Amino acid sequence: MTLKEPINAFDRTPPYCIVHNFLGGDLIERLLTHAKTHESEFTSAKVSDHQLHTEMRVSRVLRNLGELSTEIDAKFKAVISQAILDLGLFPFELARCEIELVAHEDGAFFKRHIDTKTGMHDQKSQRVMTGVLYFYSAPKGFSGGQLRLYPLSPSAVSFVDIEPECDRLVLFPAWVPHEVMPISCPSGSFGQSRFAINCWYRRPILTVSSVDG
């Protein structure tokens, strides 16, 4: 009998799922209008300590979705149950959805990271699952910007690249290492940026008192 080489789970392709035509053309157009109208309100993205780290991440962020906020939030919440099944996650209670709109202009990127270690810390909840929705003006005015997902093992050489197609939602566990590949936008026009909505599904942090009841 020939023994097979054991499979290292940490070297496997990480779980992810894709939803096409997630928001629909009308809502995508309203998002584009909102982004362009509020261009001056976008601020440089920070990582986890409220400081800029341009060697790690370059992009601009807007957390105010205005009148679109409730509609967008509901769309992301509607896919939770199916995403948990598809990703093989344990069911969890949703504390809230943490949502931001991101503009990736010429030269933007975000090096390898995990979402449980980035962003603003919250003493009451933690990130469990990540959703990224892509959108942009037609015709497409940028190249690059793929979402690269890595296995858990730092020594693994494999990865999966996912193209940022318009109105495509990608969902994956927040602990999966990933990267936003560099973007090239020759026109330099803000309206031609690679836009995305990042949504982090957060569960309550269990405390001793909550476990004891």
Side-chain angles (χ1 to χ4, degrees):
M1 181 177 68
T2 302
L3 295 177
K4 294 183 179 180
E5 184 177 346
I7 297 174
N8 187 342
F10 291 96
D11 292 331
R12 288 179 175 175
T13 300
Y16 68 94
C17 57
I18 293 176
V19 181
H20 299 281
N21 304 313
F22 177 60
L23 296 183
D26 176 68
L27 189 46
I28 289 293
E29 286 302 317
R30 285 188 283 148
L31 266 174
L32 281 168
T33 298
H34 182 81
K36 294 173 184 177
T37 302
H38 295 81
E39 177 183 356
S40 63
E41 298 175 30
F42 280 76
T43 58
S44 297
K46 299 175 183 179
V47 181
S48 59
D49 57 0
H50 308 291
Q51 301 296 320
L52 295 177
H53 293 278
T54 54
E55 76 288 352
M56 178 71 178
R57 183 184 188 186
V58 172
S59 59
R60 290 204 287 158
V61 175
L62 177 69
R63 290 187 174 268
N64 174 25
L65 295 181
E67 62 182 15
L68 298 177
S69 180
T70 301
E71 193 171 356
I72 296 295
D73 187 74
K75 288 282 189 179
F76 277 97
K77 287 179 177 176
V79 300
I80 294 177
S81 296
Q82 188 60 51
I84 288 174
L85 288 174
D86 291 344
L87 296 175
L89 299 177
F90 285 107
F92 60 90
E93 176 189 353
L94 181 68
R96 65 184 178 93
C97 284
E98 176 190 354
I99 294 176
E100 67 180 16
L101 196 165
V102 187
H104 292 90
E105 301 167 81
D106 187 50
F109 63 89
F110 197 164
K111 291 188 177 180
R112 181 171 173 161
H113 64 284
I114 58 175
D115 287 341
T116 54
K117 295 294 185 181
T118 60
M120 299 174 63
H121 293 294
D122 184 335
Q123 299 300 318
K124 296 182 179 180
S125 64
Q126 60 189 176
R127 294 172 174 178
V128 180
M129 186 169 68
T130 298
V132 184
L133 180 279
Y134 304 106
F135 65 102
Y136 48 83
S137 297
K140 181 179 175 182
F142 68 90
S143 61
Q146 296 87 353
L147 173 65
R148 178 166 291 183
L149 302 177
Y150 294 94
L152 289 179
S153 173
S155 62
V157 296
S158 61
F159 55 81
V160 175
D161 278 351
I162 301 173
E163 291 293 330
E165 294 184 6
C166 195
D167 206 11
R168 166 180 277 182
L169 172 67
V170 184
L171 296 142
F172 54 93
W175 39 259
V176 167
H178 58 285
E179 180 175 3
V180 177
M181 304 307 291
I183 289 90
S184 174
C185 184
S187 72
S189 169
F190 179 81
Q192 293 295 312
S193 298
R194 168 196 180 276
F195 292 105
I197 291 182
N198 293 329
C199 174
W200 294 284
Y201 298 86
R202 306 185 70 108
R203 68 180 174 191
I205 294 176
L206 296 179
T207 62
V208 174
S209 59
S210 64
V211 172
D212 292 344

